Amino acid sequence: MAKEDLSRRQMLGITAGGVALAGAAQAASKTGAAKGSVAGGGPFPKDFAWGVATASYQVEGAASEDGKGPSVWDVFCQRKGAIFEGNTGDVACDHYHRFKEDVALIKALGAKSYRFSVSWPRVLPNGIGASNPKGLDFYSRLIDELGAHGIEPFLTIFHWDYPQALYKKGGWLNRDSADWFAEYTSLLADKFSDRVKVWATQNEPQCFIGLGLLDGAHAPGDKVTATQYLTAAHNAMRAHAKAVQVLRARAKDVKGTKIGYVLAAQITQPATDKPEDVEAARTAIFAVGNRSEWNNAWFTDPVLLGKYPEDGVKVFGKDMPLFKPSDLEEMKQPLDFLGLNIYKADTFKRGADGKPEQIPLPPGYPRAGSDWQPITPASMYWGPRFFYDRYKLPVAITENGLATRDQVFLDGKVHDPQRIDFMHRYLAELGRAIKDGVPVTGYYAWSLLDNFEWADGYKQRFGLVYVDYENQKRVPKDSFDWFKKVIASNGRTLADKSALPLAQVTPSP
Ligand code: GBH
């Protein structure tokens, strides 16, 4: 087998036997961590949180209903050329009105947990000050509906729909933004912590700070200076920490409350299982080598280790903002888990100079509907492993999924074998990480529903359930039925190659 061909097969997690439960990487299990608890033959722990995820602006719609204030996304969607085909989240999946139907789908899937986010301006139309009873009531009814079906609510406090009123006051650039976030969190803690035990403060600071303020590709669509970008990131991390403190002080059941922080995890994988390549990938995953937002350590080291990474501080040099030294101490609040949104990995080997060297993908390498996502299952092994080794926190896979160009077929069904194959490979790799001792608390498929994919509008479909936006009809895809079996077996069907949907595209009559 040609060398090129081997690395391609390793990236995809293919070994001679088919889907690899033990592929490129056994060599690297050198953390000395205890083996994961093996329940009934599979690697997934008994209480593993099999879940699905959504986010408020992407599914709710009802953008100006029942007293909701505008968010930066409502405003950004009006900007010419900002969103694919001028799509907006005004209606989205109409989840605001159809949440009972959607909870019934989660129940039918057998998912144990539902990760959703609260729209800040829906509950606080001006971001701070007077709250909106109807907005609060929506989330209260959603949480009750989940409870009635035995589904654990996982509440993300902020998934990008920032109140426009606060943006006008400077948004994340304003030092007070951390206190605004704390005030918002207090409201949620008081209203929902009797029923919500699992919380994430923020989803992907790299995106709402980097894409939103540095690149201008996401709302609010600004392109600020490097110093302003760093200031905004700094305040967002201060806000995260204040929210953790608020939850610890105010949650009704403090001991039972689990708090995490969710990263747009930029994963690396080694080109081979040689220890020097594994170490090259490990070095690369925590390096801050340039000024772009696409790194991990800038957004995790302050929050988890109480310091900015030195290589990044060098990269930014005199553009580093001034801040109170005590900020760093305050930013580091104890967390219960680290949420990793994992979609793909970049591949590294040790270069001739001893430094990590990125290996380009072979031509024609498999990709998702979203161009940025090559299909790289081992990201689900190396991601959890590297993050656990560095930060020693249990990991939750808070998002993982694939966009495909789904459609309703002539038989009325939505056949999505690519998504099934993708999830099978990625979950098998997650199982391998657990087997090798990485504590993983849960896995949340992105997403329950096809939904508003930010600047890509409705072009990309990530759902286990197809949404016909003309009439809001939901059609569970083949992957929904497949994932249901995975959940029901607590992951044991992943070891069974016959679970691969090789012949499902053209079902026999
Ligand atoms: C998540 O973002 C979001 O949390 C979720 O709302 C979203 O719908 C979902 O994923 C699917 O996209 O590699 O330089 O080309 C993922 C955000 C999008 C961040 C792609 C990195 C590519 C940057 N990622 N982006 S690059």
Side-chain angles (χ1 to χ4, degrees):
M1 194 185 294
K3 204 171 155 209
E4 193 82 315
D5 193 36
L6 175 68
S7 69
R8 175 196 182 92
R9 290 169 66 85
Q10 282 180 340
M11 284 179 202
L12 270 169
I14 300 167
T15 59
V19 171
L21 276 161
Q26 302 92 325
S29 55
K30 54 183 210 176
T31 54
K35 297 273 174 202
S37 76
V38 176
F44 295 93
K46 236 183 15 278
D47 56 352
F48 192 71
W50 295 100
V52 284
T54 64
S56 48
Y57 191 72
Q58 296 182 271
V59 298
E60 284 177 4
S64 49
E65 217 171 302
D66 288 346
K68 176 182 164 292
S71 77
V72 294
W73 273 96
D74 291 308
V75 176
F76 187 62
C77 287
Q78 300 307 317
R79 190 188 283 189
K80 263 215 146 48
I83 314 290
F84 175 73
E85 292 186 343
N87 295 162
T88 76
D90 286 355
V91 179
C93 308
D94 196 30
H95 179 71
Y96 187 73
H97 298 110
R98 294 168 197 261
F99 73 91
K100 287 196 177 172
E101 181 185 349
D102 294 336
V103 171
L105 283 166
I106 300 169
K107 180 70 186 172
L109 179 65
K112 315 282 184 223
S113 179
Y114 175 49
R115 175 174 179 244
F116 65 97
S117 78
V118 171
S119 159
W120 185 346
R122 192 182 293 289
V123 298
L124 284 164
N126 294 308
I128 46 176
S131 63
N132 175 23
K134 285 191 174 163
L136 287 165
D137 186 56
F138 164 68
Y139 295 106
S140 190
R141 285 180 292 130
L142 169 64
I143 292 162
D144 283 346
E145 189 72 11
L146 292 165
H149 288 83
I151 300 160
E152 169 104 65
F154 175 151
L155 190 158
T156 300
I157 296 172
F158 179 64
H159 195 133
W160 308 359
D161 40 359
Y162 195 78
Q164 176 72 6
L166 295 182
Y167 171 65
K168 285 198 196 140
K169 294 182 195 240
W172 295 112
L173 286 166
N174 188 325
R175 192 167 164 89
D176 293 344
S177 59
D179 299 307
W180 303 335
F181 194 68
E183 181 182 329
Y184 165 45
T185 302
S186 304
L187 175 69
L188 300 186
D190 292 352
K191 298 289 177 188
F192 305 135
S193 68
D194 55 338
R195 290 158 289 162
V196 175
K197 310 292 171 204
V198 187
W199 298 73
T201 53
Q202 301 169 347
N203 182 73
E204 300 188 342
Q206 297 111 313
C207 294
F208 67 83
I209 300 295
L211 286 172
L213 299 174
L214 190 63
D215 302 341
H218 278 189
D222 291 341
K223 292 186 181 179
V224 300
T225 64
T227 304
Q228 288 173 320
Y229 157 69
L230 296 170
T231 302
H234 186 78
N235 287 332
M237 289 190 273
R238 289 177 51 239
H240 149 82
K242 282 185 191 262
V244 176
Q245 288 174 305
V246 164
L247 283 168
R248 301 266 187 237
R250 294 174 92 111
K252 304 260 155 63
D253 165 23
V254 182
K255 280 209 180 124
T257 299
K258 303 268 181 248
I259 309 172
Y261 172 72
V262 175
L263 204 65
Q266 304 299 301
I267 307 301
T268 64
Q269 61 183 5
T272 74
D273 55 6
K274 286 192 215 133
E276 63 263 33
D277 289 341
V278 172
E279 290 319 306
R282 188 194 299 277
T283 301
I285 199 172
F286 297 114
V288 185
N290 60 50
R291 292 181 164 217
S292 104
E293 67 273 42
W294 302 119
N295 69 77
N296 299 301
W298 194 264
F299 294 89
T300 37
D301 278 10
V303 157
L304 297 170
L305 306 177
K307 57 177 195 226
Y308 279 112
E310 279 164 29
D311 54 351
V313 172
K314 264 200 207 121
V315 163
F316 287 110
K318 62 179 183 8
D319 287 333
M320 272 298 286
L322 295 173
F323 55 83
K324 295 191 201 164
S326 60
D327 283 358
L328 281 169
E329 263 154 63
E330 285 166 25
M331 266 187 212
K332 185 186 159 195
Q333 295 299 322
L335 289 179
D336 301 295
F337 66 93
L338 177 61
L340 301 178
N341 294 348
I342 295 182
Y343 288 87
K344 56 137 191 172
D346 292 328
T347 310
F348 285 84
K349 69 170 189 187
R350 186 166 83 167
D353 59 357
K355 297 207 177 106
E357 179 187 327
Q358 192 173 344
I359 307 290
L361 291 168
Y365 189 83
R367 264 181 197 280
S370 306
D371 288 337
W372 52 265
Q373 188 183 13
I375 295 171
T376 44
S379 54
M380 203 51 108
Y381 177 85
W382 294 107
R385 152 137 255 135
F386 287 150
F387 275 96
Y388 178 64
D389 288 351
R390 184 177 180 93
Y391 298 115
K392 301 287 184 285
L393 263 185
V395 161
I397 306 304
T398 34
E399 286 179 28
N400 171 242
L402 178 80
T404 53
R405 299 290 160 95
D406 295 321
Q407 66 186 70
V408 181
F409 281 55
L410 281 170
D411 64 0
K413 299 184 177 161
V414 180
H415 303 294
D416 58 342
Q418 276 89 349
R419 181 169 292 103
I420 295 175
D421 190 77
F422 170 95
M423 289 178 76
H424 196 140
R425 291 175 194 272
Y426 276 60
L427 278 168
E429 289 290 317
L430 183 62
R432 197 158 66 83
I434 295 170
K435 235 190 218 155
D436 282 357
V438 182
V440 184
T441 61
Y443 169 94
Y444 292 80
W446 184 268
S447 176
L448 170 67
L449 303 168
D450 290 341
N451 60 47
F452 178 78
E453 175 60 8
W454 308 112
D456 278 345
Y458 297 100
K459 177 163 94 177
Q460 305 298 357
R461 294 180 176 272
F462 274 92
L464 298 171
V465 176
Y466 182 91
V467 176
D468 182 337
Y469 297 105
E470 296 281 322
N471 54 24
Q472 292 296 341
K473 200 168 166 262
R474 275 90 164 121
V475 184
K477 303 177 190 177
D478 287 350
S479 57
F480 182 98
D481 298 326
W482 176 85
F483 192 39
K484 182 178 174 155
K485 291 191 192 121
V486 173
I487 296 173
S489 74
N490 199 33
R492 279 187 291 275
T493 51
L494 296 167
D496 172 11
K497 264 179 279 155
S498 68
L500 281 171
L502 294 173
Q504 276 187 19
V505 185
T506 50
S508 45

